[in-house]
Amino acid sequence: MSINGPAIARLAALGLIGCILQLTAVAQITVFGVPADLSPLMVCSVGLLMGSVPGALFGFGVGLFVDTALLQTLGISSLVLTGVGYGAGRLRELRDPAHGLVPVAVGAIGTAVYAIGFSVMQFLLGVDAPVSFLLVRQILLVIVLNTLLALPVHLIIRRWLAPFLPDDPRRRRRRAYTTGGLSPLSRA
Amino acid sequence: MYDKAVRRRRAVLVVLVALSLTLLTAYFGESSTGSLHGVQRGAMEVLAPIQEGANRVVKPFRDLFGWFGSTLKAKDERDKLKKERDALRTEVTTLQVDGAENKQLRGLLDINTGGGMKAYEPVIARVFARSPSTWYSTVEINKGSSDGVKPDQPVVNGEGLVGKVKSVSDGNAIVMLLTDQEFGVSAKAARSGEPGSIDPAVGAPGDLLLELVPHGKDVKKGEKIVTAGTVSTRLKSLFPPGILIGTVNRVDEGEGELDRRIHVRPAADLRRLEYLEVLTKPNTDLLASTNRSP
């Protein structure tokens, strides 16, 4: 899939709006003391919809933005989210999953990879913090919250990127079934 | 064509990872005044107004969610506080009960040591049931014949005479209170020394009468009435002398000496009995004097 100028603009706008929304609103709404994190969900959705390269690039960009806006160590979120976006994109390229709940599973796995990867990076960089029950609980709760949000976030992003997306896998298969050699009508 | 796409994809990934690692290493290695920190601060300054604006825009939505959260939290807090209040109420009740029990036990201790009841081998018992009838003023205690309790033994508490043991079983006993219609005890006025007998006033629960007083006019209101410590043919119980029964609260003058009615209010609060003491050897001093007499 080729990425043209308008698609890049849309992706940039999506990243900017999503990150600002995350920082100004979502991060301040806590459920069981933990806020949801839209960043990995957005990256997973872009990867699933557009492929590995756009996913990796979008992940890198979102990570850079988050690190910059939160004055974190530059590169940590970029590195982890690049991997998340690339992985989601590769799933699409290799398996082309059509099930409606795929974004939920991918969102949950992506969030888990991001949360755990981020923590591991922090430990590797020498942040003096114990691996406490509190940290594990927080990671698990973020994964649960993001799993619940994954589908709506994915639907919004798909609608936002719709003009630049290739055909939906389900629609593509449906068309192949009715017009291609697989149709029982064509066999008759 | 396929190889080119794969190579491009891998190249992009490698470049992004390398870029991330370079940024990470450079950022981590430089001081807080370094160029990357400066860039980050600059970006912060650019982003801050955008974030502030967005913050204002989304504030109502955030407040809405916050309201839901606060409501749930408030409900949770209310439930916790209710539980805490109930626990405190229970605690207060327990403390009040303990305080009352403590007061009664302290009273018993005082009459044992200061009032000389120790000589009568008192057995402390707890009241666990009381008669609901106004005609029979009895309470049930948790000490019985196995503890040395026998019928007709006097029963006292920290305030004074309560009654006597009516019947006994192995583990508990029934105590007839002063105000029971069948109760009677030989008594005397503490100051004037006028003898008489204490009987419950018929039809007036809680009121006692000092009767058969030879010189009734000598007994005045406010005088203390104590047990006489004597045995008459009518009253078989043996009460040690000097146990406070009550206080004269009213004297009804009649037409003659025999019509005088001396009302006595019991010293013991018979409505609130928790701990009592059964004097299992009420005739100790009599025995001692009998032994001494020959």
Side-chain angles (χ1 to χ4, degrees), chain B residues 219-223 225 246-251 262-264:
Chain B
V219 181
K220 307 287 182 197
K221 186 183 173 186
E223 192 161 351
I225 306 297
T247 310
V248 175
N249 67 334
R250 196 171 86 240
V251 178
I262 302 167
H263 295 269
V264 176

Side-chain angles (χ1 to χ4, degrees), chain A residues 12-171:
Chain A
L14 173 71
L16 189 70
I17 293 168
C19 287
I20 288 174
L21 197 67
Q22 167 66 36
L23 297 174
T24 54
V26 180
Q28 294 178 43
I29 298 167
T30 57
V31 180
F32 303 118
V34 174
D37 192 352
L38 296 182
S39 325
L41 291 182
M42 290 193 301
V43 173
C44 285
S45 291
V46 169
L48 263 183
L49 292 166
M50 301 186 81
S52 58
V53 173
L57 283 167
F58 186 74
F60 181 82
V62 167
L64 201 60
F65 187 91
V66 169
D67 285 342
T68 305
L70 294 178
L71 288 176
Q72 295 174 167
T73 306
L74 278 181
I76 297 185
S77 300
S78 305
L79 184 63
V80 182
L81 286 176
T82 299
V84 169
Y86 184 81
R90 284 302 287 157
L91 180 74
R92 172 203 154 87
E93 288 159 4
L94 293 172
R95 310 288 300 180
D96 198 11
H99 197 282
L101 292 178
V102 167
V104 178
V106 173
I109 294 167
T111 304
V113 170
Y114 175 60
I116 295 167
F118 193 89
S119 302
V120 169
M121 290 296 293
Q122 292 286 358
F123 287 125
L124 286 175
L125 289 172
V127 173
D128 192 18
V131 184
S132 60
F133 170 73
L134 201 68
L135 180 69
V136 176
R137 177 181 166 272
Q138 195 162 355
I139 289 174
L140 287 175
L141 280 174
V142 171
I143 293 170
V144 171
L145 281 180
N146 274 14
T147 307
L148 294 173
L149 288 174
L151 197 58
V153 168
H154 181 78
L155 293 175
I156 291 168
I157 291 174
R158 193 174 67 180
R159 182 169 279 263
W160 176 255
L161 298 174
F164 310 100
L165 293 180
D167 282 340
D168 182 56
R170 273 177 293 182
R171 209 166 55 196

Side-chain angles (χ1 to χ4, degrees), chain B residues 73-85:
Chain B
K73 198 177 169 186
K75 279 186 174 176
D76 193 37
E77 205 165 327
R78 181 202 60 190
D79 292 344
K80 273 184 190 166
L81 287 172
K82 270 186 179 174
K83 277 183 187 168
E84 199 175 318
R85 182 202 63 190

